[in-house]
Amino acid sequence: MTAFKIAPSILSADFTRLGEEVRAVDEAGADYIHIDVMDGHFVPNLTFGPPVIGALRSVTDKPFDVHLMIDPAQPYLRQYAEAGADIITVHAEADTHLHRSLQVIRDLGKKAGVSLNPSTPETVIEYVLDSVDLILVMSVNPGFSGQAFLPSQLRKISRIQEMIGDRDIELEVDGGVNPSNVATVIAAGATAVVAGSAVFNGVDYTASIAALRRGCAD
Ligand code: DX5
Ligand code: ZN
């Protein structure tokens, strides 16, 4: 089986029991905890910020994969680092000075990620490839969980994997990933997948995560 990482997105968790939900997906085999930060401006939804992330930090040792859907992101990077983020991902579309933001994240001692909306071409990251640790390809328009995977992004995933070459960069795909399409996503070149509804809509998270891994084995 191709080894790949699974990052459950807590956007689909039960917010009344957020700590327990994070602990549950940790114990169920999550590799990363994906945290979707939304500002009601870059995306039409609002979620959580540094205090919530800081509160969750004591619940798990798994890396916090913090996806910032906020514009601007740069003024807030330190707060997310101090709250306990391990990977901080900014959107290329939200950042006029993308290269500088990536440098700031690395200077804070964190892994630097860049995300691309479905309509954004992969060429925008050509000149920052040596400054990133993770590339997050959005396979839905960001803002909500439970949307359908956009097959148009498969070609982008393959192209980015070619651009990465032998660099040590995680290629993560976010949106609409489920046991039926995960094999296609991994075959295109992804090394990690985010899964919101595919994990949290089930009652048994160990089974949901196993189903994603099995989807790739078939
Ligand atoms: C969308 C978020 C995703 C979302 C994924 O804006 O970035 O992480 O929670 O949820 P699913 O897997 O249900 O599409
Ligand atoms: Zn996300």
Side-chain angles (χ1 to χ4, degrees), residues 34 36 67 69 136 174 194:
H34 187 82
D36 287 308
H67 177 191
M69 287 161 274
L136 182 66
D174 185 4
V194 175

Side-chain angles (χ1 to χ4, degrees), residues 49-142:
V52 174
I53 295 172
L56 292 173
R57 191 59 283 186
S58 62
V59 169
T60 177
D61 291 330
K62 295 280 167 77
F64 277 0
D65 172 25
V66 176
H67 177 191
L68 296 181
M69 287 161 274
I70 65 174
D71 179 12
Q74 215 176 100
Y76 304 101
L77 296 174
R78 175 173 292 277
Q79 285 186 51
Y80 285 97
E82 288 174 354
D86 297 284
I87 305 163
I88 301 179
T89 297
V90 295
H91 265 263
E93 306 84 0
D95 224 318
T96 313
H97 301 290
L98 176 62
H99 183 264
R100 185 183 292 146
S101 292
L102 296 167
Q103 275 185 316
V104 169
I105 296 168
R106 280 190 168 174
D107 287 347
L108 288 164
K110 306 300 176 183
K111 289 193 170 173
V114 58
S115 184
L116 303 180
N117 283 333
S119 64
T120 304
E122 64 281 2
T123 46
V124 300
I125 55 171
E126 191 174 348
Y127 296 101
V128 295
L129 283 174
D130 290 319
S131 305
V132 296
D133 302 294
L134 180 142
I135 298 166
L136 182 66
V137 174
M138 291 309 302
S139 42
V140 297
N141 286 296

Side-chain angles (χ1 to χ4, degrees), residues 114-117 120-126 129 132 134-138 153-167 169-173 188-190:
V114 58
S115 184
L116 303 180
N117 283 333
T120 304
E122 64 281 2
T123 46
V124 300
I125 55 171
E126 191 174 348
L129 283 174
V132 296
L134 180 142
I135 298 166
L136 182 66
V137 174
M138 291 309 302
Q153 300 308 299
L154 289 168
R155 194 165 55 142
K156 191 192 289 180
I157 297 164
S158 307
R159 287 185 174 172
I160 292 176
Q161 192 49 262
E162 275 172 34
M163 288 164 69
I164 289 173
D166 57 11
R167 293 178 182 86
I169 298 176
E170 189 93 80
L171 179 50
E172 189 173 41
V173 174

